[in-house]
Amino acid sequence: MSSSLVVLPKPVIRAGTSLEQTLAQRRSHRTFADTPVTLAQLAQLLWAGQGRTGDYDGRTAPSAGGVHPLRLYVVAGLVDGLSSGIYRYRPATHDLETLATGDLRAALRAATGHQECLGEGAVDIVIGAATAATAERYGERGLRYLHMEAGHVGQNICLQATALGLVTTTVAAFDDDAMASGAGLEPGEIALYAMPVGHPR
């Protein structure tokens, strides 16, 4: 299908929950209510993970050498204001590029050996990485840096979900090729993390 763009609500910079409260409340959840999240909530989660924070390419999460090889993919099932489908987040313009339509969360569940949480969350966020630039710059250590960066991004999303009254967990046990295919990653990108997000049940 030809790609189309979804404009996202602007991120909220000042909110009422303190960082300390968020850290104290953060827990991993693997069961979710059958309740949609809003487009504004999804936009806030994506901004927390990889959002731009300045005129230069500064982001909410650090990146070795400022390479920023990570990509956030959204497999949406229950998002008010967004059709079910697969999307890629574009930090520079804070929008979503449509990659596929339909509720395709089951493919991610299958890639994990049927961990049900990836079918129950309203939306699944997959952290992928374009490996070439980091490997070219850092050689064998580059792969280590990719995993470190995924950890930074994953924690940001966890904390933002908590601040929004949502829950999530982090899943890294999956078939790499099946996860990359299910989330719509490009050739040369690898999947590092999958995060179902939704309301607690």
Side-chain angles (χ1 to χ4, degrees):
M1 64 170 293
S2 60
S3 66
S4 61
L5 299 178
V6 178
V7 177
L8 292 172
K10 290 183 179 180
V12 176
I13 307 300
R14 298 175 187 269
T17 306
S18 74
L19 175 61
E20 293 80 9
Q21 287 175 306
T22 305
L23 286 166
Q25 294 169 5
R26 188 219 61 80
R27 296 291 182 273
S28 296
H29 285 257
R30 301 182 69 85
T31 57
F32 303 89
D34 189 24
T35 306
V37 299
T38 67
L39 186 60
Q41 288 172 324
L42 176 59
Q44 193 72 27
L45 291 165
L46 297 171
W47 176 83
Q50 276 289 279
R52 291 278 295 268
T53 54
D55 293 334
Y56 61 100
D57 198 22
R59 305 275 180 94
T60 53
S63 175
V67 173
H68 300 296
L70 300 190
R71 310 284 185 266
L72 297 186
Y73 288 85
V74 173
V75 183
L78 292 170
V79 180
D80 281 340
L82 184 69
S83 299
S84 297
I86 300 175
Y87 302 86
R88 180 171 41 234
Y89 178 58
R90 305 194 316 163
T93 47
H94 188 60
D95 58 22
L96 293 173
E97 180 183 5
T98 306
L99 303 179
T101 58
D103 189 348
L104 303 170
R105 291 173 294 169
L108 302 193
R109 185 170 61 243
T112 66
H114 298 282
Q115 294 187 50
E116 295 300 322
C117 59
L118 283 165
E120 290 186 358
V123 61
D124 297 322
I125 298 173
V126 175
I127 303 174
T131 60
T134 302
E136 180 179 342
R137 183 161 185 167
Y138 295 108
E140 292 182 3
R141 292 187 71 85
L143 183 60
R144 181 185 303 185
Y145 296 157
L146 292 177
H147 287 280
M148 287 175 158
E149 291 180 34
H152 301 321
V153 171
Q155 181 72 337
N156 281 7
I157 294 172
C158 284
L159 293 175
Q160 184 66 80
T162 301
L164 292 171
L166 303 173
V167 293
T168 185
T169 191
T170 51
V171 178
F174 47 72
D175 179 280
D176 294 346
D177 292 338
M179 181 60 68
S181 175
L185 274 62
E186 293 184 351
E189 295 181 348
I190 59 174
L192 299 176
Y193 241 172
M195 303 179 67
V197 184
H199 291 274
R201 187 171 66 190

